[in-house]
Amino acid sequence: MMNVALATALSLAAGGLAWLTDPFQVYDNGTYGPPLQVEHLFYDQWPTGLSVASNGAIYANFPTAVNQTNTQYTVGVVTSYTTEAAFPSVEYNQPPGGFLNPSNPAFGSADPDHLISVQSVVVDALDRVWALDTGRPLYNGAQVLATVPGGPKLVGFYQNGTRFANYVLPITTAYPDTYLNDVRFDLRPSTLPSGQGVAYITDSSDEGRSGIIVIDLGTGNSWRHIDSQPYTRGDQGFISTYDGQVFQPIRQGNPNPGTYSHLTTGSDGIALSADGAYLYFSPLSSRRLYRVPTSYLLVQPSGANPNAANAAIAATQYLGEMGGSHADGMETDASGVIYIGAPEQDGITMYHPDLGMWMPFVRDPRIQWPDTLSVATNNRLYFTSNQYWLQPSLNNGTEYRVRPWGIFSVPISAGKVILT
Ligand SMILES: *[C@@H]1O[C@H](CO)[C@@H](O)[C@H](O)[C@H]1NC(C)=O
Ligand SMILES: *[C@@H]1O[C@H](CO)[C@@H](O)[C@H](O)[C@H]1NC(C)=O
Ligand SMILES: *[C@@H]1O[C@H](CO)[C@@H](O)[C@H](O)[C@H]1NC(C)=O
Ligand SMILES: *[C@@H]1O[C@H](CO)[C@@H](O)[C@H](O)[C@H]1NC(C)=O
């Protein structure tokens, strides 16, 4: 701290206090890269994911919060600059028995034919809309309920709302504490013998058994890889910084309500390389980026392939730290560049796999936790900004989020990856 006499002397020498505050030519102006375009404002429910179809339709999802406001629908479609509507219908978003399991309300609903709590919505290369249902609603603002089979599932809809696929995951793939977080598709018939392609899903479970889930879209079989490994789990004692302020969550639920804790969320953001050969992922509660060749993930661990799980772990590559931020979402464009959300930098970082290099892409003080990224066919990158760390469940019950939440877009040099 400068003493008063020195400050006064400097100020007099410079002819006023302005000299003390204004001499600096290098400072953080908070912005970088292309200007943001505001695509949508959310004034009602709280969004996490979004995805854009080739006709410009924007789909979004809203994790269910029982006893709070977020219970009208968990998947929606944008209907105007400031409004959304249920997708595929209000009815599909309202399980008749409620969001909780009627026989044991400590668990989420087991209803396989309705959406319980969707964490991610993705429009695939055939313009179909997939909803990834965790089956884990947030209860009373504090507790994310465990699941029973029927809740966790991947549901496919045509844009007209007709359901064409419903992969309900067995308990051997989706554990009661699994949190299905994000999904990418490779629809090439050559990926698996059944010829319908594959879905790769991150399990970001806060409770530690995080990993990668693979679904054979032809047979509906599913299996896990890189289960409970350091690659898919958060760092112990992870501490992050938003808007220049250190953040340590204070949870209301277990294990120690009301005390400072850490984010523990595991593998969350996920991206497929433009050629489908690698799956990129990062635990939310770490700044580490990994990739694994998909050829290892496509092998189902079984008696016939007893070393498949170990082989996928051994093939996982650590690519380095992501430049001063953890990430909640990532996405590839057709040129192979991977865009990685950087909540600690109010921005988005680019990773060039061919160069093994990170580069700045965009920063703006309005980017308050970029949650999910989506490349659209119009060569623009869309993303949500949702103030994730300000929610009551991480702040001792106090709501610090302020509406509206937003969808932004920025121009990029290539379009959506089409693996069909
Ligand atoms: C802010 O700083 C960045 C990076 O130093 C620079 O590229 C950009 O042009 C600056 N923007 C303004 C408005 O000065
Ligand atoms: C929360 O919701 C459940 C299920 O809808 C209901 O039974 C319960 O009374 C509600 N609790 C509060 C505190 O509102
Ligand atoms: C919905 O779209 C699918 C795929 O384009 C089509 O096969 C189906 O007939 C449509 N259903 C309705 C009710 O329009
Ligand atoms: C959390 O909230 C409880 C109940 O309002 C309060 O007693 C406690 O002091 C708070 N904890 C912190 C660390 O602010």
Side-chain angles (χ1 to χ4, degrees), residues 71-394:
T71 50
Q72 305 158 58
Y73 48 88
T74 184
V75 174
V77 60
V78 164
T79 47
S80 80
Y81 189 54
T82 55
T83 58
E84 310 100 42
F87 179 87
S89 63
V90 173
E91 191 272 330
Y92 210 102
N93 279 271
Q94 290 287 344
F99 297 102
L100 311 186
N101 194 306
S103 56
N104 187 346
F107 291 84
S109 164
D111 188 335
D113 292 312
H114 292 83
L115 298 171
I116 313 301
S117 182
V118 170
Q119 179 63 28
S120 187
V121 61
V122 170
V123 177
D124 72 13
L126 298 176
D127 251 351
R128 306 176 300 184
V129 185
W130 295 89
L132 187 62
D133 191 348
T134 64
R136 301 190 67 180
L138 178 70
Y139 183 60
N140 277 341
Q143 196 186 354
V144 179
L145 300 181
T147 68
V148 282
K153 54 189 171 286
L154 176 64
V155 193
F157 302 97
Y158 297 119
Q159 286 196 66
N160 61 18
T162 301
R163 184 180 86 182
F164 69 89
N166 191 26
Y167 302 99
V168 178
L169 297 180
I171 200 161
T172 44
T173 304
Y175 308 137
D177 58 356
T178 284
Y179 197 88
L180 303 176
N181 197 299
D182 207 349
V183 57
R184 292 293 178 268
F185 296 90
D186 185 340
L187 301 175
R188 291 175 301 167
S190 59
T191 49
L192 284 168
S194 67
Q196 301 295 306
V198 61
Y200 302 102
I201 297 170
T202 41
D203 171 1
S204 69
S205 179
D206 277 10
E207 290 86 353
R209 288 197 289 183
S210 36
I212 306 291
I213 292 170
V214 181
I215 303 179
D216 179 337
L217 298 177
T219 63
N221 285 346
S222 58
W223 54 91
R224 296 180 67 97
H225 270 297
I226 323 182
D227 217 7
S228 297
Q229 295 299 309
Y231 312 134
T232 48
R233 299 182 64 162
D235 291 343
Q236 290 239 328
F238 179 72
I239 294 179
S240 48
T241 297
Y242 310 109
D243 297 344
Q245 296 180 41
V246 167
F247 176 67
Q248 279 194 275
I250 305 175
R251 297 179 197 276
Q252 294 169 283
N254 289 327
N256 295 308
T259 63
Y260 288 102
S261 63
H262 299 93
L263 292 175
T264 56
T265 308
S267 42
D268 187 308
I270 183 174
L272 258 182
S273 63
D275 62 2
Y278 288 95
L279 189 74
Y280 291 78
F281 60 92
S282 175
L284 180 134
S285 308
S286 103
R287 301 184 185 87
R288 293 172 283 117
L289 181 65
Y290 295 97
R291 73 174 182 181
V292 59
T294 47
S295 56
Y296 288 87
L297 299 179
L298 292 171
V299 183
Q300 177 172 7
S302 69
N305 295 296
N307 67 329
N310 288 339
I313 292 166
T316 302
Q317 302 169 1
Y318 170 53
L319 300 175
E321 292 231 346
M322 299 183 291
S325 186
H326 68 110
D328 194 1
M330 56 182 79
E331 175 73 309
T332 320
D333 74 15
S335 79
V337 168
I338 299 169
Y339 300 91
I340 304 178
E344 295 184 86
Q345 305 292 334
D346 298 344
I348 291 169
T349 302
M350 278 193 286
Y351 179 71
H352 290 256
D354 295 344
L355 307 172
M357 231 184 122
W358 281 263
M359 291 179 182
F361 175 56
V362 68
R363 280 186 78 207
D364 190 294
R366 291 171 294 173
I367 303 177
Q368 294 291 297
W369 192 296
D371 187 305
T372 301
L373 281 53
S374 170
V375 168
T377 47
N378 63 357
N379 287 25
R380 294 188 76 86
L381 177 70
Y382 290 69
F383 55 96
T384 50
S385 168
N386 72 2
Q387 307 166 24
Y388 176 94
W389 82 104
L390 299 176
Q391 59 184 297
S393 62
L394 299 176

